[in-house]
Amino acid sequence: MNDCYNCSDQSLIEKAESEKIDLVWQRYEKMKPLCGFGEQGICCRICMKGPCRINPFGKKRSVGICGASADTIVARNLVRMIASGTSAHSLHGKEVAKTLMHVARGETAIYSVKDAIKLRNIAHKLNIETDGNDLIPLAGVVAANSLMDYSRMDEEEVCNWLKYTIPDARLKKLKSLGITTSNIDGSISDIMARTHVGTDADAVNILLAGLRCALADYSGMQVATNLSDVLFGTPQPVVSQASLGVLRKDAVNIAIHGHNPLLSEIIVDVAYKMQAEAVAAGATYGINIVGVCCTGNEVLLRHGIPLATNYLSQELAIITGALDAMIVDVQCIMPSLAKVSACYHTELITTMPDAKIAGVTHIELGSGDSLKKAELIIRKAIDAYKNRDDDRLSIPAEKNKVIAGFSAEAIIDLLGSINSEDPLSPLIENIVNGKIRGIVLFAGCNNVKVKQDHNFVAIAKKLMAQNILILATGCGAGAFAKNSLMNSEATENYAGNTLKEVLTFLGFEAGLNAPLPPVLHMGSCVDNVRSIDLAVAIANRLGVDLNQLPLVASAPELMSEKAIAIGSWVVTLGIPLHVGLTPPVTGSSLVTNVLTSELKNIVDGYFMVEEDPEEAADKIISIIEEKRLGLNLDSSLDSANNIEVLS
Amino acid sequence: MCIPKELKFLVVDASQCMGCRNCELACSSRKAAQYQAEGILGNIRIVPNIFVGQNGLTKTPAYCRHCSAAFCKDLCPAHAISQENGVIILDKDKCLGCGICEQVCPYGVITLGSFKIGDKTKTIAHKCDLCFDQQSVGKEPACYAACPTKALALV
């Protein structure tokens, strides 16, 4: 069986094998057997009396040394994953908010407010008085209101980025459950405190705190995405290319990898100015910046920079022999890159004080001399280019056209070209008349346990054939971009007839002279909130809550703690979530039951685990039809007895 | 060797194996203690006599079955492997380190290990002895004692 769905990626795995370079797939095989206690979430390392593990086959219900049951242990481990994911996203958001504050105070010459309209829209959304407020002071107020979400002491309050971004009905429900958050950082420390030995042992209470922390994750992501738009511009539709074929033989190839646009934006700006140096070094094309992972998504959406690859195949960018430098910031950077890059001429450079790799060149960006340091980084790439070994060069021919840049604003603008009075109406009318059956958001990572990108592609193709519109972010978006599902040809080839009709109409109305792609690229993983903004706009327009919309989310190849955090807030906002791998909770039937079933009675959303992509697609379609029925829209489910009549 | 008659043998219920590799760790720890006593700890790679493998979702340990018709015993040119009270036992002093037993073991649980004595390198085979020294004083084999689910059982 191939390790990657994408044939170009697969060919490079074979190259690495012939060069005896271990990649993530070999390391996974060597790691087997994976410990079942960890897999089921019943290994507890929280104190030094242990570690304890619960025997899932024991006749008597076994407990840890302190008496913690499997339910307690599983719940504690899960919410700690949520807290870690929340930390990652919300720190990213905090850095962006602090940068906006520096801009407002005139403390930085590197960054500025690039999207004034977005800033004013945010101020309006956050209920901040905008009249008479000049742009820069307004930036300061918006930054302060955002940073307040990290520091508020009054626990009765609700984070600005939560209460002003979800439907009223949802906010009321979350308040009634006591799971709104007033302080993002506070919610994370609450999790760490209550999961300390001898504190919260009630699994359900722990899980509820986990949902609150997940909402903190949501709030931090809202800060990250929205304030990044202010600083760097709100994405608009842009045409580019994806897959490892975007690397060029005649260029100094630099990959930017990670998640934080604060750094990649500097590299992009500086690289444009240093083209002549690259040409002088012999690279006739100059500098070719490519993206990897979510930094790649950020710069694809804002600059049309081609996307080389997503998470799992990050090492393969180096295996092409064409990558002269890989510049990394935070999150999802495999430490293995150090060893793989050492097998080639590739310069690997870390740039963040909290994300170093031993033995790797570290050039810190983010301070006053960032521009000079960025120049130094680019110069290192140009020097590395001179050492490139053409005999080891293997750039795949495949590169696929991508239409990306579908922020919620871009989608609403696009629809506004049809009906400027009520921009959402063309989308809503087509959902009501059934030409679009519903919307599915694909998010989340890659995981070495499934053939890379296969679950994304297999499920999405089946859904679009059933006239379901697809939104994508993060490495899911990377999967669709790489595998040619984000262009007009994909609509022609795979969309169902009525979806094709709508996408063609919209594409021509928007002046693209071609159908819109069947999968709309909404950004990096932190940008999942863009899809929520769109869903909230639709829900508010219809006067319903999010759980009533024919909307399902899917993370078919999830891997990281961030994905667990996102998944948890998705269900808390009322949206059913499909996951393609079983999270580490099966050691507790109580926790498993709460997540997959009981949650539906509490917050309307729930986790649906289905590892088979074909089955998953059927189940997602069935949920969409169930939601349509709930809204009294035509549904393939028989309203009399709720029996599925679809296929 | 002096193998007691009442020695217990290992069986496994694969459905209860969690793949935690505690058995491997316990076997290795016991070996480390033995090597220390022999003065060769640090001079030889520690390889356990039990290996947990995974195929799909199934995880299970491979370990010496102490075959009644044991290829390793029958084919050992040095007659270093014998059968006593049902236990297939290796006499390290007789072992030449030729590796035939490693090659013929149908379970892949005999390994070769080398260590230095002066300027010479000695290679010998390693195989499970059911921790007979432990069992003879009423203790359990290391792997069985360490198995948290008792997927390994004694018969």
Side-chain angles (χ1 to χ4, degrees), chain A residues 464-529:
Chain A
M464 62 181 79
Q466 294 291 332
N467 301 300
I468 290 169
L469 180 65
I470 293 167
L471 311 175
T473 58
C475 283
F480 296 124
K482 276 165 58 188
N483 295 297
S484 202
L485 284 173
M486 286 185 160
N487 50 41
S488 305
E489 292 71 29
T491 305
E492 300 283 1
N493 293 337
Y494 306 115
N497 286 336
T498 56
L499 178 66
K500 193 185 296 180
E501 183 192 316
V502 175
L503 291 173
T504 305
F505 174 73
L506 291 176
F508 278 86
E509 282 294 319
L512 288 175
N513 293 328
L516 288 185
V519 184
L520 302 182
H521 192 322
M522 295 196 88
S524 62
C525 51
V526 87
D527 291 338
N528 273 307
V529 290

Side-chain angles (χ1 to χ4, degrees), chain B residues 64 66-67 70 72-73 81-83 86-90 127-128:
Chain B
C64 178
H66 297 271
C67 310
C72 58
K73 173 180 78 82
I81 301 177
S82 58
Q83 193 163 29
V87 180
I88 301 293
I89 199 85
L90 171 85
K127 73 170 296 302
C128 168

Side-chain angles (χ1 to χ4, degrees), chain A residues 214-369:
Chain A
L215 290 171
D217 183 62
Y218 167 80
S219 310
M221 288 170 73
Q222 281 280 7
V223 174
T225 292
N226 283 286
L227 301 194
S228 291
D229 283 354
V230 171
L231 289 171
F232 308 118
T234 306
Q236 293 297 320
V238 62
V239 180
S240 187
Q241 290 177 315
S243 193
L244 283 167
V246 301
L247 293 168
R248 298 182 63 106
K249 190 179 177 187
D250 58 355
V252 174
N253 293 304
I254 301 176
I256 42 182
H257 173 18
H259 286 78
N260 194 333
L262 288 172
L263 309 173
S264 52
E265 290 282 330
I266 298 177
I267 297 289
V268 171
D269 286 348
V270 171
Y272 282 135
K273 293 172 191 155
M274 294 178 67
Q275 294 287 1
E277 276 189 47
V279 174
T284 51
Y285 182 81
I287 295 169
N288 179 37
I289 303 257
V290 300
V292 176
C293 230
C294 281
T295 288
N297 287 324
E298 297 271 356
V299 292
L300 166 66
L301 263 69
R302 294 204 177 90
H303 300 279
I305 285 172
L307 182 73
T309 193
N310 48 353
Y311 172 75
L312 200 62
S313 44
Q314 57 186 273
E315 296 162 306
L316 297 180
I318 297 171
I319 300 295
T320 61
L323 192 64
D324 303 304
M326 183 179 268
I327 304 161
V328 302
D329 49 69
V330 289
Q331 299 166 21
C332 302
I333 319 290
M334 287 188 194
S336 66
L337 290 175
K339 202 169 172 184
V340 177
S341 64
C343 298
Y344 281 87
H345 71 294
T346 313
E347 272 281 357
L348 179 66
I349 300 167
T350 55
T351 58
M352 290 288 277
D354 56 346
K356 297 183 181 182
I357 303 172
V360 169
T361 307
H362 182 76
I363 302 176
E364 209 155 295
L365 295 179
S367 52
D369 57 352

